[in-house]
Amino acid sequence: MKLCNTDARMKQVKEFDESGIGVKGLLDSGITSIPLIFVHPPDQVPNKKSLSPHSTTDWEIPVINFCGLTNSGDRRSEIVNQIREASSTYGFFQIINHGISQTVIDDALSSVRSFHEQPIEIKNKYYGRAQDVCFMSNSDLYKSEAASWRDTLKVVVGPEPPATEKLPEVCRNELMEWAHHATILGEILMELMCEGLGVRPERLKEMRCSESKILLGQYYPYCPQPELTLGLVPHTDHSIITLLLQDQIGGLQVKYEDQWISVKPIQGVITVNVGDFFQIISNDKYKSGEHCVLANSSQKSRVSIPLFFHPAGLTNNEDDNPTSYGPLPELLSQEYPPCYRSFTLPEFWKHAQSRALCLKNLVNGFKIVE
């Protein structure tokens, strides 16, 4: 199958976007092959063999048990050490016994599925790209070389939560309940990760890193040609950290030592990954984890909910928000000089939003070149 040339692609992209139906709408229309705008270059679609899970003797995402975390002494130190090792080596880990009930998790995932499986005339009133609450397909649709096979419900849940009436009724209570519990857990995780770096536990909270949050209700319907596209292109998150819920369908892949590894869904587990911002302020002590999602070959749609934690700035105006960020000073020394230059939040976001999602190495834009 040929790829779209630039002019033809942009025409088809515009038509698809203005239709407001998303990939679920395309599937419901009865298509048996995917439109050309979703076809990725063959060398950018990992083959199934390279994406197969390792054997049980090989690497898997670390699973960290939070049982006993509140106890002082050895158990907390053990958890901190496990988080530090996972964050510095893989950029990913999973947690169990985290204190969030299975009901909250199941209800959140089920509500996202319910939203996306509503009739298009109900979803369509939320279709857009700039609103704090919106339904869309592919955030980088106009920047990417090829679109991915997924739809998204975006909800900006912090610093200020959205007005209740702005949230779709079918999922408003469930998503806000998940965001509430996940915020508490995220703040605990940031404290533990700070301890792993040897800095004060409250350091990130003082930087307002738990205030700005974006939740995505991702929906990956069945794809009739999964070998030609992806559900989500390889990328790293721009966040401090990301907390992820996923259902039992599977499809998430993490890159480790140049090989893609399947992340096995485990009921009740929360997946955590380090984002680009944390890699920078940790001065490369923690690594942002590269990941992707395969196009869904299952007849049952896949649902996931990532929650991204970002530093909160007062405005997006450089003049009004001159606070600079960079490697934490307490991590620097003559032996460990800064790997990154200082920057402001508006500069960081301008750089991030000017790129297609698949253009990785955001951190390289702030690297100090010798």
Side-chain angles (χ1 to χ4, degrees):
M1 184 179 288
K2 295 181 180 179
L3 303 179
C4 280
N5 63 44
T6 302
D7 291 341
R9 168 179 157 68
M10 289 311 297
K11 182 176 183 293
Q12 292 182 32
V13 161
K14 193 170 185 293
E15 290 173 351
F16 170 67
D17 192 33
E18 291 180 349
S19 75
I21 65 174
V23 295
K24 175 68 162 54
L26 290 175
L27 192 64
D28 289 346
S29 72
I31 65 167
T32 56
S33 60
I34 64 175
L36 283 175
I37 62 170
F38 291 93
V39 177
H40 289 244
D43 62 341
Q44 293 181 19
V45 180
N47 61 59
K48 292 182 179 179
K49 182 178 180 180
S50 69
L51 285 163
S52 297
H54 273 179
S55 69
T56 55
T57 58
D58 284 330
W59 181 78
E60 294 179 351
I61 290 225
V63 178
I64 301 174
N65 189 344
F66 269 31
C67 185
L69 173 63
T70 56
N71 300 334
S72 59
D74 293 343
R75 181 64 189 133
R76 184 180 180 91
S77 296
E78 181 182 354
I79 293 172
V80 168
N81 289 337
Q82 290 174 333
I83 290 175
R84 180 180 62 244
E85 177 65 22
S87 299
S88 60
T89 305
Y90 316 117
F92 265 86
F93 56 92
Q94 295 180 299
I95 53 176
I96 57 174
N97 294 319
H98 40 66
I100 301 179
S101 75
Q102 189 64 47
T103 299
V104 169
I105 292 172
D106 290 344
D107 286 352
L109 289 168
S110 178
S111 74
V112 167
R113 183 179 300 280
S114 295
F115 170 81
H116 285 286
E117 294 181 352
Q118 295 178 110
I120 188 59
E121 57 267 22
I122 297 177
K123 292 188 296 184
N124 195 255
K125 64 182 178 180
Y126 295 99
Y127 200 86
R129 297 191 173 274
Q131 306 96 307
D132 286 349
V133 178
C134 60
F135 161 59
M136 61 180 165
S137 187
N138 287 254
S139 60
D140 63 342
L141 183 65
Y142 290 92
K143 302 171 189 172
S144 61
E145 185 174 358
S148 296
W149 199 253
R150 76 178 182 283
D151 292 332
T152 301
L153 171 65
K154 183 184 83 170
V155 181
V156 177
V157 295
E160 295 297 327
T164 301
E165 64 273 13
K166 287 188 175 182
L167 286 164
E169 185 176 1
V170 72
C171 59
R172 65 172 58 137
N173 293 332
E174 294 83 356
L175 291 185
M176 294 312 294
E177 183 73 5
W178 158 244
H180 167 71
H181 289 285
T183 296
I184 296 171
L185 179 59
E187 290 179 349
I188 292 171
L189 280 163
M190 289 184 207
E191 289 182 0
L192 297 170
M193 295 171 85
C194 281
E195 289 182 41
L197 290 173
V199 302
R200 290 181 295 106
E202 60 274 13
R203 188 68 165 90
L204 291 183
K205 189 167 186 177
E206 292 170 352
M207 295 169 62
R208 305 177 65 196
C209 289
S210 62
E211 294 182 27
S212 183
K213 299 178 289 289
I214 299 175
L215 179 154
L216 301 181
Q218 304 279 43
Y219 186 81
Y220 302 86
Y222 166 72
C223 180
Q225 293 177 296
E227 72 282 0
L228 298 181
T229 190
L230 285 163
L232 188 59
V233 293
H235 69 288
T236 55
D237 294 343
H238 303 327
S239 56
I240 292 285
I241 58 172
T242 304
L243 271 59
L244 173 74
L245 300 180
Q246 63 170 335
D247 64 15
Q248 300 302 297
I249 302 301
L252 174 64
Q253 312 286 335
V254 172
K255 194 173 187 180
Y256 176 62
E257 293 186 348
D258 295 325
Q259 184 163 1
W260 289 97
I261 311 299
S262 295
V263 179
K264 181 181 178 181
I266 305 172
Q267 188 176 34
V269 157
I270 295 174
T271 302
V272 183
N273 65 278
V274 178
D276 297 328
F277 204 97
F278 209 167
Q279 177 170 333
I280 291 173
I281 66 174
S282 74
N283 207 40
D284 279 347
K285 291 186 181 295
Y286 290 160
K287 309 295 184 185
S288 59
E290 187 176 351
H291 52 290
C292 71
V293 176
L294 294 179
N296 183 18
S297 60
S298 169
Q299 291 294 328
K300 183 175 174 62
S301 295
R302 175 183 185 265
V303 171
S304 69
I305 308 176
L307 180 65
F308 306 92
F309 290 80
H310 300 286
L314 298 177
T315 72
N316 285 323
N317 188 303
E318 196 92 36
D319 295 331
D320 295 339
N321 189 24
T323 302
S324 64
Y325 294 83
L328 297 175
E330 53 267 53
L331 297 178
L332 305 179
S333 65
Q334 189 170 1
E335 184 180 0
Y336 296 103
C339 300
Y340 301 95
R341 63 176 177 82
S342 296
F343 54 87
T344 63
L345 278 183
E347 182 184 6
F348 180 85
W349 283 115
K350 182 178 179 181
H351 188 57
Q353 293 167 358
S354 66
R355 304 153 60 85
L357 187 63
C358 65
L359 294 177
K360 301 176 290 296
N361 303 319
L362 170 68
V363 297
N364 288 344
F366 302 98
K367 276 274 191 184
I368 295 175
V369 181
E370 298 265 341

